[in-house]
Structure formats: structure tokens, C-alpha cells
Amino acid sequence: MMAGDLASNTLGIRVRTAAVGHASAAMTVTETMVNGHGIAHGGYVFLLADTTFACACNSHGPVTVAAGADITFVAPAHLGDELVATATERTRYGRSGIYDVTVTRGDEVVAEFRGRSRTLR
């Protein structure tokens, strides 16, 4: 899946670990990701979390997509920061699932993301 993900690959997102129901990925904040306030644009932080969520929810095999997601930004990220997202499967039921993703910079939480997945037929 990641080999064909031009958006994530163009941003330099790197999958660190992948296992059934879990994944971790990293991204460095570049100058093109910084907004007018001098902090990382939330859309890029969301994209890192969403990519990691996709790796975790597709780990079971069948093609699985996002049915919805939300994010809470806890702390700003800055140019040069190395962000790491870690996704954990909370539950799967039928063709649906819920995954939590924490985005960190070192030991500091930058964002919390919850994704809802749906496996395609």
C-alpha cells in the first residue's frame, strides 16, 4: 500500500514499524509544511496520523479505508521537528474498526487522532 502512496512518500513519511493492528511512522517538518504562524500546518500533522492509521487498519489484509477521523492538536510542531505517529487498534467489529494514533515529538504529545475504518467488500 505504501509503495503506491505518492502523497505520503512525497512528504518523506517513513513507516518505522508495522504489525497486525499497530503501526508507527515518522516525518520531519520541512519549510513547506510551516504555516503563516511559523508552526507546522495541522493538515500535515493530520496526514502523518492518517497514514499511520491506514497502515494499522490495513494490516489485516483486506482493503480498508477511513470512514471518519478527528484530531486534537495538543502542542505546536516546528520546522525541523521529527514527528512520530503510533497507531493502535482499539477494536474491530464486523467490517468496522476504531484506531487511536498519538503523534509525538520526543516525549511530548503533539496530537491525538481517532480513526474509524471500514473494510471494503
Side-chain angles (χ1 to χ4, degrees), residues 48-120:
L48 171 62
D50 187 50
T51 295
T52 310
F53 159 57
C55 289
C57 69
N58 278 279
S59 65
H60 294 281
V63 174
T64 304
V65 297
D70 59 73
I71 192 165
T72 301
F73 299 107
V74 177
H78 303 279
L79 178 64
D81 284 351
E82 177 78 5
L83 302 180
V84 175
T86 304
T88 303
E89 182 178 278
R90 303 302 300 154
T91 189
R92 288 175 62 222
Y93 52 101
R95 295 183 356 206
S96 299
I98 298 173
Y99 294 78
D100 287 333
V101 183
T102 300
V103 180
T104 58
R105 174 188 47 241
D107 292 332
E108 183 179 14
V109 173
V110 171
E112 292 287 350
F113 170 106
R114 175 157 275 191
R116 296 168 304 283
S117 68
R118 187 73 171 169
T119 299
L120 301 180

